[in-house]
DNA sequence: AAACAGCAGGTTGTATACCGTTTGCGGCGT
DNA sequence: ACGCCGCAAACGGTATACAACCTGCTGTTT
């Protein structure tokens, strides 16, 4: 976004319309596992927990639904999405469509004179982030790198379309950040070089390989232990 | 009022949460040009025009913003998006990424036994629609065909991601429906055959060519007369 | 004892009211 | 005559209140 100064833990608390702020807040809560998968998000409880009225929530929750973080049932409200192996596969297939194309367009832009400096900046920041060991920070940085690749294409529509994807990506990154932190860093560096070369076919291929490698690692984690992100000792899991 | 069963203008689909209904209603109004490009959507006026309170609008408008139909300015409310040549190009570039990939996955599914019957159904309906000459109907059918291709992949995430794209596609189809109605029909038939063959490379290539042909036609129309969809005599175009 | 019905609690969906900010216009001063 | 200042109206942002619905429990009846 236009606010690259966001720190990982505290998102922009500026004038960005309360609805957007609590959107970010809830999203972070979901990703961090504070709102466990499958749990219900009761509006009143959320409202007094975040100290806002219910109306801003009414704007934020549908957006969370669009981005796949919750599912709204007719009269039951919103429940946090539960990850499945199939969902993860679908995500990687979609990434295959979008990011491979984005890498190609990005390489083309580089060939036309666009600088890859933004990628370097984020990659450097990612290195710092990995050393901190903060999973949320790592997931944020990793996601931002991919967003930066898309941004490099100069296609603002593609950027906004990616937003529906990057949210889920970040969530999955967080869930699997234990393993692929360093690998992802190398992969990003490799992708950066490929895009920098300006060779569309190379960028395309590297992006493809990178995503498939991601898929393999994520699948290994997901298949191993689906007991993910449950900091609370698994409250009764209200159906 | 608690019983909006009157619904005088449209026998809309029931049960779908007032917010969604007015989302569709406003979207159709924008596409049909009833709310001209660049015009402001004042909440109070909309509310009494659609005979709903402002709160459902507060849920619908952000979704329209996500889908690119309006732009919400900080304190100025929502204005209907104004099409530019660049935006159209960005849309086609994004379609290139997503639909080409979708065609590939769809062909793969066909190779695994999935039937292309849904495509045939919609294609047949499209033929009827073209004969009616109703631009909105034509745009709807054409969009639905592309959605059906994505649905054929079995990837529900890809379908929901396409939703951000199909809305804009439909709008642009409507604006340019005069020219490419029959061409689009032929193109869809060709794409259907390609997917039916189960050959991923063929499907991919046909999809690519189809989109680029679409781009050419749309660009011709957009470049010729940007005075699009202005049933009202172009109010002062408030900035 | 089991099953159905009625009641109570809670939650979402919808509507209305209030407040801060912005903006456009008009008057006044230079 | 031009520009600046101030006021008023409108718009969006937020909060509160009401109504309908679903759910779970309990009590009674068969």
């Amino acid at each position: 976004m236009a606010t690259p100064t966001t720190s990982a833990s505290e998102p922009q608390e500026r004038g960005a319309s309360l609805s957007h702020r609590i959107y970010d807040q809830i999203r972070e809560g979901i990703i961090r596992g504070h709102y466990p998968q499958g749990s219900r998000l009761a509006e009143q409880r959320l409202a007094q927990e975040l100290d806002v009225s219910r109306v801003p929530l009414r704007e934020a929750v549908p957006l969370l639904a669009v981005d796949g973080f919750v599912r709204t049932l007719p009269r039951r409200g919103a429940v946090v999405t539960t990850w499945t192996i199939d969902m993860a596969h679908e995500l990687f297939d979609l990434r295959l469509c979008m990011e491979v194309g984005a890498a190609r367009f990005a390489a083309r832009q580089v060939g036309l004179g666009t600088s890859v400096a933004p990628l370097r900046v984020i990659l450097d920041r990612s290195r710092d982030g990995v050393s901190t060991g903060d999973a949320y920070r790592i997931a944020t940085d990793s996601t931002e790198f991919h967003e930066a690749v898309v941004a490099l294409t100069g296609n603002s529509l593609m950027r906004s379309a990616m937003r529906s994807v990057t949210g889920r990506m970040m969530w999955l990154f967080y869930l699997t950040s234990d393993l692929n932190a360093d690998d992802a860093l190398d992969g990003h560096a490799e992708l950066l070089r490929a895009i920098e070369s300006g060779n569309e076919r190379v960028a395309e291929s590297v992006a493809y390989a990178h995503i498939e490698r991601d898929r393999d690692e994520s699948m290994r984690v997901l298949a191993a232990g689906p007991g993910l992100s449950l900091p609370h000792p698994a409250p009764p899991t209200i159906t």
Side-chain angles (χ1 to χ4, degrees), chain A:
Chain A
M1 283 292 291
T3 60
T5 57
T6 58
S7 68
S9 49
E10 280 293 328
Q12 63 281 2
E13 289 290 336
R14 306 203 312 257
S17 153
L18 190 53
S19 312
H20 282 84
R21 278 185 310 215
I22 65 177
Y23 168 89
D24 287 332
Q25 223 170 326
I26 298 174
R27 204 179 80 147
E28 181 170 342
I30 290 177
I31 293 177
R32 296 195 106 111
H34 185 261
Y35 305 114
Q37 298 180 28
S39 64
R40 290 180 64 175
L41 293 183
E43 280 187 349
Q44 282 185 352
R45 183 173 51 81
L46 265 186
Q48 65 183 24
E49 198 170 320
L50 304 176
D51 195 37
V52 294
S53 87
R54 284 176 47 214
V55 177
L57 285 176
R58 298 296 294 271
E59 288 190 356
V61 170
L63 294 179
L64 286 167
V66 168
D67 289 345
F69 285 94
V70 302
R71 251 191 95 202
T72 59
L73 302 173
R75 271 288 198 267
R76 309 281 294 277
V79 298
V80 179
T81 304
T82 300
W83 276 96
T84 64
I85 302 286
D86 286 343
M87 277 179 53
H89 271 299
E90 289 187 352
L91 176 61
F92 284 106
D93 285 344
L94 180 56
R95 286 186 59 192
L96 231 40
C97 292
M98 296 194 61
E99 292 194 63
V100 168
R104 185 175 70 239
F105 280 109
R108 180 183 304 175
Q109 288 300 315
V110 169
L112 296 173
T114 302
S115 164
V116 293
L119 297 185
R120 275 192 216 290
V121 171
I122 296 177
L123 189 58
D124 289 340
R125 203 189 324 149
S126 299
R127 282 188 227 280
D128 298 341
V130 170
S131 61
T132 68
D134 177 7
Y136 191 77
R137 165 81 188 274
I138 293 172
T140 304
D141 288 341
S142 188
T143 303
E144 272 180 26
F145 181 84
H146 288 273
E147 282 178 343
V149 171
V150 175
L152 217 63
T153 66
N155 188 328
S156 60
L157 176 57
M158 204 177 288
R159 274 179 62 182
S160 73
M162 268 298 283
R163 272 198 57 258
S164 312
V165 180
T166 50
R168 281 172 252 241
M169 276 174 59
M170 185 171 160
W171 194 3
L172 195 56
F173 280 168
Y174 179 86
L175 295 177
T176 63
S177 60
D178 310 323
L179 293 189
N180 56 14
D182 286 316
D183 287 350
L185 224 51
D186 294 340
H188 290 175
E190 189 185 353
L191 182 55
L192 191 158
R193 282 193 302 273
I195 292 172
E196 191 179 21
S197 76
N199 188 319
E200 298 183 23
R201 296 295 295 269
V202 170
E204 212 172 44
S205 306
V206 169
Y208 193 102
H210 174 54
I211 294 171
E212 287 295 3
R213 201 175 334 135
D214 255 23
R215 187 206 298 264
D216 286 344
E217 292 185 12
S218 296
M219 285 308 153
R220 205 159 24 237
V221 176
L222 257 57
L228 305 152
S229 78
L230 296 172
H232 311 35
T237 314
I238 315 110
T239 58

